[in-house]
């Protein structure tokens, strides 16, 4: 049965680590979809750290712009860890600065459709970026809004949502207000 699980939190909260732990409990073979691009040495180092911490027998697929197409090519029932939605939205925004919203919305809808159509157990990692200051520049505000809406769409479709704070995963659905259910 298709499952969608979302791990969100701030930068360096432990969300990727917790999502990897969760994925390991679901299956031995996990397909890891990476959205990061090594544009500089520091990012290359970060990617290397992520690669080193996950099991070497996991399959890694790089999909900085077309996650939905990658999901659509996977065998039915696969356990998939998407790390991360935040970078996917950033990549799509930077590739489509003049009209990013329809592109991002279409990709989120296509991800959700592929997850259902292929009966995937999809685990999504994202950042909660809207809890800080309002960005001083327009592109930053557009990005904050795009990822906020994308996170809401994924969370609305998810079977479970975990907020990771200081390495501790909190099950958000259990804490949801009764009137909002």
């Amino acid at each position: 049965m298709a499952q969608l699980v979302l791990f969100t939190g701030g930068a360096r909260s432990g969300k990727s680590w917790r999502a990897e732990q969760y994925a390991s409990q679901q299956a031995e073979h996990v397909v890891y979809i990476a959205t990061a691009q090594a544009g500089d040495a520091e990012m290359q180092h970060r990617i290397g750290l992520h690669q080193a911490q996950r099991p070497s027998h996991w399959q890694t697929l790089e999909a900085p712009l077309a996650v939905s197409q990658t999901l659509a090519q996977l065998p039915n029932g696969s356990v998939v860890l998407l790390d991360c939605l935040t970078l996917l939205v950033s990549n799509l925004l930077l590739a489509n600065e003049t009209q990013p919203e329809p592109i991002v919305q279409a990709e989120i809808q296509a991800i959700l459709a592929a997850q259902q159509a292929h009966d995937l157990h999809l685990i999504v990692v994202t950042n909660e970026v809207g809890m800080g200051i309002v960005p001083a520049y327009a592109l930053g505000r557009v990005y904050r809004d795009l990822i906020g809406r994308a996170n809401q769409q994924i969370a609305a479709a998810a079977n479970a949502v975990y907020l990771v704070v200081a390495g501790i995963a909190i099950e958000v659905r259990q804490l949801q207000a009764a009137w909002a259910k």
Side-chain angles (χ1 to χ4, degrees):
M1 182 168 83
Q3 291 284 311
L4 179 59
V5 178
L6 179 65
F7 282 82
T8 190
R12 288 287 174 249
S13 63
K15 60 195 173 296
S16 291
W17 171 59
R18 287 298 187 184
E20 289 167 4
Q21 284 183 321
Y22 177 87
S24 291
Q25 293 175 8
Q26 306 311 305
E28 171 129 2
H29 178 72
V30 174
V31 178
Y32 184 98
I33 298 180
T35 60
Q37 299 178 86
D40 57 37
E42 189 269 340
M43 192 61 173
Q44 191 171 16
H45 177 72
R46 285 177 178 265
I47 291 169
L49 291 174
H50 271 273
Q51 290 170 336
Q53 79 183 28
R54 66 181 175 259
S56 61
H57 63 276
W58 285 10
Q59 178 185 7
T60 299
L61 301 174
E62 295 185 15
L65 294 169
V67 169
S68 61
Q69 291 176 9
T70 302
L71 291 174
Q73 296 173 11
L74 296 176
N76 286 3
S78 295
V79 174
V80 183
L81 175 53
L82 167 58
D83 197 355
C84 76
L85 186 66
T86 315
L87 285 175
L88 172 64
V89 170
S90 175
N91 296 341
L92 291 169
L93 168 60
L94 294 176
N96 303 281
E97 284 187 45
T98 56
Q99 286 289 321
E101 189 164 0
I103 302 296
V104 171
Q105 289 297 315
E107 180 62 9
I108 297 302
Q109 290 304 314
I111 287 169
L112 294 171
Q115 183 260 334
Q116 286 294 313
H118 295 278
D119 197 32
L120 302 174
H121 190 139
L122 180 59
I123 303 151
V124 178
V125 177
T126 193
N127 284 32
E128 191 58 53
V129 300
M131 297 174 87
I133 60 171
V134 174
Y137 50 95
L139 190 62
R141 290 187 298 274
V142 168
Y143 173 68
R144 179 207 53 200
D145 294 348
L146 287 170
I147 191 61
R149 283 192 288 276
N151 286 346
Q152 287 183 52
Q153 287 179 278
I154 298 292
N159 301 91
V161 177
Y162 297 98
L163 172 64
V164 181
V165 179
I168 299 169
I170 302 162
E171 198 166 348
V172 177
R173 289 232 189 270
Q174 288 186 352
L175 300 175
Q176 186 175 3
W179 62 264
K181 291 182 182 180

